[in-house]
Amino acid sequence: MDSRSYKLKQFIMHRISLILSMLLVLMLIACNGKNKLQETEGVKTIRLHFDEETELKASDFVKSRRLVLLEDADETIIGTISNIDVMDSLIILTDKNTGSVVTYDFYGQLVGKINSHGRGPGEYLNITRSWVNHDKKEVAIYDNALMKIFVFTLYGEFVRAYNSPSNIMGLALHGDFGYYYRSIDGFPDDTGNPMNYHLIMTALDSFKITLHRDFWFEDWLTTGFEPFIRHNDNVLLLTPGEQNIYELTGLEKRLKYHIELEPNPMWVNGNYNFLKTYEEHELYREQNIGKLERIAFMGGDRYLLFSISKGIDKFRSKLCWYIYDTKEDLIVEAAYNLSNDLGPFDMSRVKFFNDSLWITEFHQYEYSESMLDTIAHREGIDFSKSINPCLVINKMKLNE
């Protein structure tokens, strides 16, 4: 074989090798794309656009409203309502200030009270988190000081207590299953290490630990909002840093929604991973004031209520609200300015939201005597009967 033929053969072999390499790369890309599609299959993206020009009036989505004054019988004094749940025509509210969980009917009459403070059987020191198990008709109270979870009936009878891990940021009990979203390290200490968050899922005879994350910022929660909600006989968990919502069924979880904030989000594409110290985290947030962050949610079987914030300075922020229809996969209401044209009650102080109810509250001392007289006359409320807060129960018309 002469040199010319040899060079031609080498050239052809080189070309064939190059073509085969390109085909292999394309096959790998296709496989990776296929795998990525499988990973995100069934995951819906919810886009929340922050628009400071939007305004939502209560009359746009509220059908009717009534006030319920909570009686102060049996020396039941309510300090600050941390969160509210509704079940079987009963209103269950948690007051962390007095360390109580109190059950009322929809007329404001006291039905049951949990207020057992101490270190004895069935007694707790404080309420760190609470949850109403609708399947069991029970209330769970997590006490971080004692590292225990106490379970009571809705009427205040003690059922049982069991040991729990510390630093639980949220808990949910659903039938015989328990879900605990916690920080293994608690709040940042002098070492400045990130907090390691994970999810513990338990059954009667087994448990699973999953969702290991290093986040600085997930210990933040607005009063009334929790990491877990009930949704179509399952439990949803919101992880604000990732902006993901996981659906929990038994001891299984799946990614159900991913939330995108626009424009100009603070946390995107895992950029929190480069923050290695508490000082770096604080500096990053100060340098990025004005970006969107801090997602919180409530919800029912069909509708989810979202709140996101935009920082004004280190201590203040603006809020934007969204109602998302999971059935139609669209935002049905969105507003930066949430105004109440049906009365002098602040709609943004929402403590409970489901497919039909939007519940807020107010204390009598927040209004002048003349304003209270006007409210009493219009709503038929005798404020002299109780010093406790008054619930504003708004019935919505989202399905109409």
Side-chain angles (χ1 to χ4, degrees):
M1 180 182 297
D2 58 23
S3 60
R4 186 173 180 181
S5 299
Y6 176 78
K7 289 181 180 180
L8 178 61
K9 184 178 179 179
Q10 289 289 96
F11 175 78
I12 293 173
M13 292 298 293
H14 176 72
R15 285 288 182 175
I16 293 174
S17 176
L18 182 61
I19 292 171
L20 289 174
S21 298
M22 292 177 65
L23 288 174
L24 179 61
V25 170
L26 290 173
M27 289 174 63
L28 289 173
I29 291 173
C31 290
N32 288 337
K34 183 178 180 181
N35 290 335
K36 189 159 187 176
L37 182 63
Q38 289 174 347
E39 289 174 4
T40 59
E41 185 176 357
V43 180
K44 293 182 178 179
T45 298
I46 304 174
R47 291 179 173 83
L48 304 180
H49 182 80
F50 196 103
D51 185 356
E52 298 185 30
E53 302 299 323
T54 58
E55 180 179 6
L56 181 63
K57 297 179 180 179
S59 58
D60 294 334
F61 65 97
V62 173
K63 180 179 181 179
S64 61
R65 181 204 68 221
R66 71 186 186 93
L67 270 58
V68 175
L69 180 63
L70 303 176
E71 72 171 358
D72 53 11
D74 193 25
E75 298 182 349
T76 303
I77 307 301
I78 308 298
T80 301
I81 298 177
S82 307
N83 56 281
I84 291 176
D85 205 341
V86 173
M87 174 183 166
D88 294 343
S89 299
L90 296 175
I91 301 171
I92 305 100
L93 60 90
T94 300
D95 177 7
K96 291 184 180 180
N97 281 4
T98 62
S100 306
V101 176
V102 189
T103 302
Y104 289 92
D105 62 21
F106 267 73
Y107 297 97
Q109 302 298 306
L110 181 66
V111 174
K113 178 173 66 173
I114 303 169
N115 189 28
S116 304
H117 297 161
R119 294 181 178 271
E123 295 178 337
Y124 55 89
L125 297 180
N126 57 65
I127 298 178
T128 310
R129 290 283 184 270
S130 65
W131 179 268
V132 179
N133 187 340
H134 283 222
D135 297 313
K136 300 278 189 175
K137 300 184 187 300
E138 295 174 339
V139 176
I141 291 174
Y142 165 61
D143 183 344
N144 190 51
L146 297 178
M147 288 190 291
K148 284 187 176 181
I149 292 176
F150 300 82
V151 181
F152 299 83
T153 68
L154 299 178
Y155 306 98
E157 300 165 342
F158 176 66
V159 178
R160 64 188 180 279
Y162 56 93
N163 295 329
S164 71
S166 61
N167 304 312
I168 291 177
M169 317 307 280
L171 80 154
L173 302 181
H174 190 61
D176 292 323
F177 295 95
Y179 306 102
Y180 310 91
Y181 189 55
R182 68 179 295 260
S183 164
I184 196 170
D185 304 314
F187 295 94
D189 54 21
D190 293 337
T191 64
N193 293 320
M195 295 178 288
N196 183 293
Y197 280 84
H198 59 248
L199 169 68
I200 301 175
M201 302 187 288
T202 65
L204 290 176
D205 56 355
S206 60
F207 73 95
K208 182 187 292 186
I209 301 178
T210 183
L211 276 182
H212 296 276
R213 301 289 187 269
D214 284 340
F215 290 147
W216 282 110
F217 37 85
E218 289 197 339
D219 60 321
W220 178 91
L221 277 174
T222 303
T223 300
F225 291 85
E226 293 291 337
F228 294 100
I229 64 170
R230 287 179 307 277
H231 179 73
N232 289 323
D233 202 33
N234 293 306
V235 172
L236 299 183
L237 167 65
L238 169 64
T239 57
E242 297 175 300
Q243 298 169 185
N244 285 339
I245 296 177
Y246 295 89
E247 182 180 70
L248 310 178
T249 306
L251 293 181
E252 301 299 323
K253 69 166 176 49
R254 75 179 183 94
L255 179 58
K256 189 174 180 67
Y257 299 104
H258 175 67
I259 303 170
E260 290 185 359
L261 307 184
E262 54 186 33
N264 203 17
M266 182 171 292
W267 311 115
V268 61
N269 298 327
N271 62 344
Y272 45 78
N273 287 318
F274 75 86
L275 302 173
K276 302 303 181 184
T277 67
Y278 183 67
E279 289 74 17
E280 287 179 359
H281 166 257
E282 287 296 288
L283 180 61
Y284 181 81
R285 290 196 71 250
E286 289 180 12
Q287 292 174 342
N288 288 272
I289 289 175
K291 291 187 175 181
L292 305 181
E293 59 168 336
R294 290 182 171 174
I295 306 172
F297 78 156
M298 295 182 183
D301 288 337
R302 177 170 177 175
Y303 296 97
L304 302 179
L305 173 67
F306 290 99
S307 169
I308 64 173
S309 68
K310 177 181 180 180
I312 300 174
D313 53 36
K314 190 175 180 179
F315 304 102
R316 298 176 300 159
S317 61
K318 305 175 182 179
L319 295 179
C320 205
W321 302 87
Y322 311 83
I323 299 177
Y324 172 71
D325 187 341
T326 62
K327 182 179 179 180
E328 300 296 332
D329 188 24
L330 56 85
I331 302 294
V332 294
E333 300 288 358
Y336 163 68
N337 183 20
L338 184 60
S339 63
N340 192 347
D341 56 341
L342 300 177
F345 315 113
D346 187 354
M347 292 292 291
S348 66
R349 291 168 57 173
V350 56
K351 294 296 193 302
F352 178 81
F353 173 94
N354 65 7
D355 295 342
S356 60
L357 298 178
W358 180 301
I359 300 179
T360 63
E361 50 83 27
F362 68 88
H363 288 262
Q364 298 178 42
Y365 60 76
E366 298 178 58
Y367 295 97
S368 65
E369 186 174 342
S370 60
M371 178 60 75
L372 275 182
D373 289 340
T374 301
I375 295 173
H377 178 72
R378 289 180 178 177
E379 306 291 339
I381 298 291
D382 185 356
F383 288 109
S384 66
K385 290 185 175 181
S386 175
I387 63 172
N388 274 335
C390 191
L391 301 183
V392 183
I393 302 179
N394 301 282
K395 186 173 179 58
M396 297 186 292
K397 53 183 178 182
L398 296 175
N399 291 322
E400 299 179 4

